[in-house]
Amino acid sequence: MAKPWERAQQISTTGLVVNYRIPFNKPFIVGKELYYISQSVLQCQTSGDGLYTKKAQELMKGSFGAREILLTTSCTAALDLAAILAGVKDGDEIILPSFTFSSTANAFLLRGARPVFVDCRRDTLNIDENLIEAAITVKTRAIATVHYAGVGCEMDTISKIAQKHRLIVVEDAAQGVNAKYKGRYLGTIGDIGAYSFHETKNFICGEGGAIVLNRPELVERAEIVREKGTNRTRFFRGEVDKYTWVDIGSSFLPSDILAAFLYAQLENMDAITKKRQEIYRRYEARLQPLADRGLVTLPIVPPDCESNYHMFYIVLNSLDERTRLIEHLKAESILAVFHYVPLHTSPMGLAMGYHPGMLPVTETISERLLRLPMYYEMRETEVDLVVDEICKVFKVSPSTL
Ligand SMILES: *Cc1c(COP(=O)(O)O)cnc(C)c1O
């Protein structure tokens, strides 16, 4: 006899149909998405740079204090665009963490650069700023930072190193939308930032992203490269009387239909963040007894950072313990997942000459990190259920609130 939750189907992001009582993620619809989409459709403004693209960009520019923000089809596309704007070319080297998604590396690899992986910090799991200078050579062109889990990298130190060595800083803020470092929004601190609105992130439109341009001289070229290498954006503004091919480029701009979806989400950014914070805090408080006994490590947000609570993870003491916990949760119909296979030990990384043992912190963390279910609509009772099941494995009682 199937249990009730086994009947409710959830389509995972990989397209597999899976049944979980507590899924890992549930995309959240705030309510006005279809209304805005209908407006976009009725106004026949469904290609890129229509009304809702402008509205979404203005909203973010105003909230984050960025010089310019342009929507893209994904964070991956924003990073590709960033690598072009950064002037990355054959033979350049780019410094980045290995503990990240493939897109951070691919953007530069596609321009002919070589990724140079640096180990991460044990506390935030962000790139270890103290290891960056040793990785710089005459070929280094840029540093790509990744704000893991929506917690900022040590940007002051990184910016100083970049200035000293005349390097460009690209922030992969895919997970860091609406989060801050020293009062500044992630993505607006380096030269260029990249955001993701993929359905697994905090604010979503299915597939989507944005590029943040923090230097005025980058804006005009960004508009051109994003519009297939043409000056069509200037033409629409009436600055030129016809538009033409002026540079390399591709189609980086999303349909206004997706921008309409996104705009409904962005209007609710703070409410969404607050709800995620409550879930995060409940996990943190109730799992504390496990941390006190040294059985798990809880995530850390440095005092300089304001998180957007993109994820809640725990770090176990061994790969075996993580495997055991995943199996137990799965048997209870709870999906918890791990993250990332380090880029330097992936098949691509190995093909580039990297090998296991080179980045010890990244390697040990990636074997032991477990992401717990986290989504806007997650109820307190659901958080408690996950915590209770974890505590059962360790035979420790959760703290009562
Ligand atoms: C999600 C993610 C990306 C990719 O974002 P898309 O919008 O799916 O292209 C890139 N980098 C990091 C760190 C991510 O978490």
Side-chain angles (χ1 to χ4, degrees), residues 113-151:
R114 176 179 168 79
V116 174
F117 298 116
V118 167
D119 213 349
C120 64
R121 288 165 49 140
R122 282 182 183 275
D123 56 354
T124 56
L125 317 186
N126 284 330
I127 191 166
D128 187 337
E129 65 278 4
N130 295 317
L131 300 177
I132 292 176
E133 271 201 296
I136 294 174
T137 72
V138 289
K139 293 179 181 168
T140 309
R141 174 97 200 147
I143 305 171
T145 63
V146 178
H147 306 296
Y148 188 70
V151 175

Side-chain angles (χ1 to χ4, degrees), residues 101-399:
F101 190 60
S102 57
S103 298
T104 327
N106 270 332
F108 301 102
L109 205 53
L110 283 166
R111 311 307 308 158
R114 176 179 168 79
V116 174
F117 298 116
V118 167
D119 213 349
C120 64
R121 288 165 49 140
R122 282 182 183 275
D123 56 354
T124 56
L125 317 186
N126 284 330
I127 191 166
D128 187 337
E129 65 278 4
N130 295 317
L131 300 177
I132 292 176
E133 271 201 296
I136 294 174
T137 72
V138 289
K139 293 179 181 168
T140 309
R141 174 97 200 147
I143 305 171
T145 63
V146 178
H147 306 296
Y148 188 70
V151 175
C153 297
E154 184 32 52
M155 290 306 291
D156 275 358
T157 309
I158 294 170
S159 301
K160 266 194 209 116
I161 295 169
Q163 258 168 23
K164 182 173 154 197
H165 297 271
R166 300 167 151 268
L167 305 176
I168 290 163
V169 176
V170 176
E171 294 179 73
D172 178 344
Q175 304 176 12
V177 185
N178 206 34
K180 291 183 199 169
Y181 165 82
K182 296 193 178 171
R184 298 167 75 189
Y185 283 91
L186 302 187
T188 69
I189 304 165
D191 299 292
I192 307 173
Y195 292 152
S196 175
F197 306 115
H198 184 264
E199 77 162 22
T200 51
K201 303 299 202 286
N202 288 23
F203 320 109
I204 63 175
C205 67
E207 300 276 355
I211 185 162
V212 187
L213 303 155
N214 303 318
R215 290 211 329 243
E217 64 273 23
L218 292 173
V219 176
E220 190 180 327
R221 183 150 194 246
E223 289 174 348
I224 290 167
V225 177
R226 176 171 168 271
E227 263 282 24
K228 302 98 185 166
T230 73
N231 55 359
R232 180 145 76 173
T233 309
R234 293 194 65 193
F235 171 71
F236 282 147
R237 281 200 297 259
E239 294 168 10
V240 288
D241 57 8
K242 58 179 185 311
Y243 75 87
T244 184
W245 184 27
V246 293
D247 202 336
I248 61 163
S250 190
S251 186
F252 289 110
L253 69 175
S255 158
D256 210 54
I257 298 175
L258 283 178
F261 188 123
L262 179 65
Y263 184 62
Q265 296 261 324
L266 295 177
E267 282 187 319
N268 290 280
M269 264 191 311
D270 289 336
I272 292 170
T273 305
K274 188 163 173 293
K275 188 73 198 300
R276 297 184 78 99
Q277 181 186 36
E278 286 164 18
I279 296 165
Y280 182 103
R281 291 241 194 279
R282 192 166 184 93
Y283 266 132
E284 187 178 48
R286 297 208 73 226
L287 286 166
Q288 193 57 47
L290 293 183
D292 292 343
R293 287 167 179 76
L295 297 165
V296 305
T297 308
L298 300 181
I300 283 168
V301 181
D304 282 343
C305 296
E306 271 176 59
S307 179
N308 63 0
Y309 307 97
H310 173 58
M311 70 170 88
F312 193 89
Y313 64 79
I314 56 177
V315 180
L316 286 305
N317 286 336
S318 69
L319 174 60
D320 282 351
E321 282 191 1
R322 181 177 75 179
T323 308
R324 196 157 63 96
L325 186 55
I326 292 174
E327 291 303 315
H328 176 82
L329 293 175
K330 200 171 259 175
E332 294 299 324
S333 199
I334 297 167
L335 184 61
V337 301
F338 53 81
H339 213 210
Y340 296 104
V341 175
L343 294 185
H344 76 284
T345 59
S346 67
M348 273 295 278
L350 298 177
M352 278 181 241
Y354 287 94
H355 54 80
M358 291 175 94
L359 305 176
V361 180
T362 301
E363 289 167 32
T364 178
I365 292 289
S366 85
E367 278 186 355
R368 297 184 286 119
L369 182 136
L370 185 64
R371 301 176 64 186
L372 302 183
M374 172 95 151
Y375 43 89
Y376 179 90
E377 290 167 291
M378 195 168 185
R379 294 186 295 262
E380 261 180 28
T381 51
E382 292 177 316
V383 177
D384 291 353
L385 204 130
V386 177
V387 172
D388 291 348
E389 290 306 329
I390 294 171
C391 286
K392 246 187 231 170
V393 170
F394 289 103
K395 301 185 173 64
V396 169
S397 334
S399 73

